[in-house]
Amino acid sequence: MPKVEIDGRQVEVEEGLNVIQAAERLGIEIPHYCYHPGLSIAGNCRMCLVEIDKVPKLQIACNTRVSEGLVVRTQTERVRRARQAVLEFLLVNHPIDCPVCDQAGECKLQDYYMDYDLEPSRVPLEEKVHKGKALDIGPLVMLDQERCILCTRCVRFCDEVTKTGELGLFERGDHVTIDLFPGRRLDNPYSGNVVDICPVGALTSKDFRFRARVWYLQRTPSVCPTCATGCNIDIHHLRGRIYRFRPRYNPDVNTWWMCDEGRLGYRAYQGEQRILEPFRRDAESVLRCDWETVLAEVPRLLREGAEAVVFARATNEEAYLLREIFGKLLGGGNLHGVSWSPENASRDDFLRDADKNPNTRGLAALGVLVPVEALRRALLEGRRDVLFVFGGDLEPVLGPEGLRELRRKTRVLVAADFRGHATLAQADWALPVASFAETDGTFTNRGGRVQRIREAFPPPGNARPGWWVLARIAERLGSPKRFATAEEVFAELAAAEPAFSGMSYATVGERGCPLAAVDR
């Protein structure tokens, strides 16, 4: 591997990296706009100019590959003057509307101006070239051509990643603009990524515009629960409310991208459909109750002979506790894991999977997953005393009439989920549990990679994390184990289940850990 020197410090890096990437290994940021590691190199912004030994002119770091003995200087006076000149050029026709720009707080134009320029514009506002403002170019994206610095990241994304080619450069000189080709709209399943990679405020999200200032938001790393791919995301939230999902880099899963379906999936996890208190239904009314009552009555009912259904939206920890309860403590082995998705579910060869459950592979690894048709037969044949449904709605699986038939054949129905639906509406006991954003745990994606989800904020009202509810039920049924955290449940799971052997929350880390190959 070549050894290079950057600002007097030496580093050994892999062959093929450019100077920006090599400098990052030393914690040195070389400013740039057009360069993005997931796209081809355009080299048009000129912001990453650096000095290189024995080369008379400044070079762009994005298109300079490292080689043995390369000596680079990134902070000389000559380099700083060049960057200052580039910034002045980029800002010549900029509208300077930072107070009303949604990108404020995460804008590289702002950041680098503060680092390298700090000079007032020599071009009065009235003499600037005016271009299109607030242009509606697609279902998710708005374009402000005056803020654009023509880095072409968005154009290259549409050409190279989605290969849909909606955007291009038009006009000449200082009238050049990014725009749609005639008759086109930016309407592909991954269009929201152009907002993420726009380094300034030219492309903004219709969904997020004017809803929050980014410096107020908190960020929690997690996993998208919209399908089985398990794209890595950051949850941006404030005071228990989710404002957006953004993709998080993971080279083993989604690299830098995520689909629009997943991006907007946060809406399902908040709103009026959330259930906030445990409820008990009798012949005449629905009564609010406390968890002490639930934990006294539900285990007693389960002892009378129960079956359970766990949806593949549950975490590995929750599925494991259900397996312990219904497989060992109740001795019946009558736990059915189900992964249901609509027949017309979206899919493609990139990130979108037709399996709209985040943990189908996890349920399979735990040995509880059954085919949907087998589940229908099991539920609709015969009668039962108690049915416990965790993490989903049986109506899409059985149909409205099937759910009514199931209800007639079931003496007591207990359902636990984070939001209301048809199964909860017919349940004798409704237990509010945390959504994926409100609990710790793990999902196993379609590639068999176990990945962490984290509690971004506490569950609302009197809802509790699903693992907590199941651990307390297990205790009332006689389990000697006392789990205080989801991490302790996972440690127990990893010790008991060969596919998870050797894993812990520490080893799963930020990028996940593959399941061990185990014959089941």
Side-chain angles (χ1 to χ4, degrees), residues 286-306:
V286 177
L287 305 173
R288 183 180 299 178
C289 56
D290 56 34
W291 280 106
E292 192 53 42
T293 304
V294 170
L295 296 176
E297 290 298 315
V298 170
R300 181 184 64 77
L301 290 167
L302 296 181
R303 281 198 180 95
E304 295 175 3

Side-chain angles (χ1 to χ4, degrees), residues 48 69 77 80 134 140 159 161 167 173 177 195-196 231 243 286-287 299 316 318 342 419 424 460 473 475:
C48 63
E77 184 57 29
R80 291 185 68 84
L140 288 186
D159 289 346
V161 180
L167 294 170
T177 59
V195 176
D196 299 332
C231 292
Y243 282 82
V286 177
L287 305 173
N316 290 315
E318 292 162 347
R419 62 180 173 178
L424 273 164
I473 289 175
E475 288 175 15

Side-chain angles (χ1 to χ4, degrees), residues 53-80:
D53 235 15
K54 302 177 183 175
V55 179
K57 293 184 178 180
L58 298 179
Q59 301 295 305
I60 51 173
C62 65
N63 203 29
T64 303
R65 301 291 172 185
V66 294
S67 58
E68 182 64 31
L70 192 73
V71 177
V72 180
R73 289 179 288 275
T74 72
Q75 295 296 329
T76 65
E77 184 57 29
R78 185 183 175 203
V79 168
R80 291 185 68 84

Side-chain angles (χ1 to χ4, degrees), residues 184-418:
R184 303 290 301 275
R185 294 270 290 167
L186 184 57
D187 190 12
N188 66 65
Y190 297 89
S191 65
N193 290 286
V194 300
V195 176
D196 299 332
I197 62 176
C198 180
V200 296
L203 295 168
T204 51
S205 165
K206 286 184 182 177
D207 183 66
F208 183 69
R209 279 165 63 90
F210 311 126
R211 292 182 59 215
R213 281 303 197 183
V214 295
W215 51 81
Y216 292 127
L217 299 180
Q218 297 173 284
R219 182 186 67 85
T220 302
S222 190
V223 173
C224 178
T226 307
C227 79
T229 302
C231 292
N232 287 213
I233 61 169
D234 284 323
I235 301 174
H236 291 227
H237 57 94
L238 176 67
R239 299 192 190 100
R241 183 174 183 80
I242 302 173
Y243 282 82
R244 62 181 179 180
F245 290 164
R246 297 191 79 176
R248 180 167 53 89
Y249 177 67
N250 187 331
D252 299 311
V253 182
N254 57 301
T255 60
W256 298 269
W257 321 118
M258 71 181 299
C259 71
D260 293 345
E261 188 178 346
R263 185 182 299 274
L264 299 179
Y266 76 89
R267 296 170 177 170
Y269 296 91
Q270 49 201 17
E272 296 180 353
Q273 75 273 28
R274 290 297 302 265
I275 58 170
L276 305 177
E277 302 285 344
F279 286 95
R280 177 185 180 183
R281 186 188 309 276
D282 62 20
E284 298 179 350
S285 60
V286 177
L287 305 173
R288 183 180 299 178
C289 56
D290 56 34
W291 280 106
E292 192 53 42
T293 304
V294 170
L295 296 176
E297 290 298 315
V298 170
R300 181 184 64 77
L301 290 167
L302 296 181
R303 281 198 180 95
E304 295 175 3
E307 289 181 53
V309 176
V310 56
F311 281 78
R313 307 195 68 79
T315 64
N316 290 315
E317 290 79 354
E318 292 162 347
Y320 172 74
L321 287 169
L322 282 163
R323 193 181 74 171
E324 291 295 290
I325 291 171
F326 289 88
K328 291 184 178 177
L329 298 174
L330 295 175
N334 43 8
L335 172 64
H336 313 284
V338 61
S339 175
W340 181 88
S341 302
E343 290 184 2
N344 60 348
S346 59
R347 68 173 301 279
D348 57 32
D349 296 330
F350 187 25
L351 296 177
R352 295 187 302 164
D353 196 295
D355 178 0
K356 298 304 177 186
N357 301 277
N359 201 30
T360 301
R361 188 70 182 271
L363 265 59
L366 289 169
V368 300
L369 188 67
V370 299
V372 172
E373 193 52 44
L375 174 72
R376 289 194 185 104
R377 287 197 303 273
L379 293 181
L380 296 178
E381 291 175 358
R383 295 180 174 277
R384 65 189 52 77
D385 284 322
V386 182
L387 179 64
F388 188 106
V389 181
F390 189 93
D393 182 11
L394 283 171
E395 186 179 68
V397 181
L398 303 176
E401 181 53 38
L403 181 61
R404 284 191 286 273
E405 183 181 349
L406 172 75
R407 191 66 191 91
R408 287 193 294 270
K409 293 180 175 180
T410 303
R411 183 171 63 84
V412 178
L413 178 62
V414 182
D417 207 346
F418 71 95

Side-chain angles (χ1 to χ4, degrees), residues 124-181:
L125 279 174
E126 57 272 18
E127 295 181 14
K128 290 176 182 281
V129 176
H130 296 291
K131 301 177 183 177
K133 304 286 287 183
L135 302 178
D136 180 353
I137 62 170
L140 288 186
V141 183
M142 298 290 286
L143 168 63
D144 186 313
Q145 293 173 329
E146 290 187 351
R147 295 175 185 161
C148 179
I149 59 169
L150 305 174
C151 73
T152 69
R153 281 186 178 187
C154 54
V155 175
R156 283 175 283 149
F157 176 82
C158 293
D159 289 346
E160 299 166 11
V161 180
T162 62
K163 303 185 189 309
T164 47
E166 296 95 335
L167 294 170
L169 292 168
F170 298 85
E171 301 295 344
R172 291 181 178 179
D174 59 5
H175 284 67
V176 171
T177 59
I178 294 286
D179 209 344
L180 293 165
F181 282 100

Side-chain angles (χ1 to χ4, degrees), residues 83-84 87-88 91 112-120:
R83 290 174 184 166
Q84 186 179 26
L87 272 170
E88 182 176 17
L91 286 164
Y112 295 153
Y113 173 80
M114 300 303 291
D115 290 341
Y116 295 99
D117 196 357
L118 287 176
E119 293 289 340

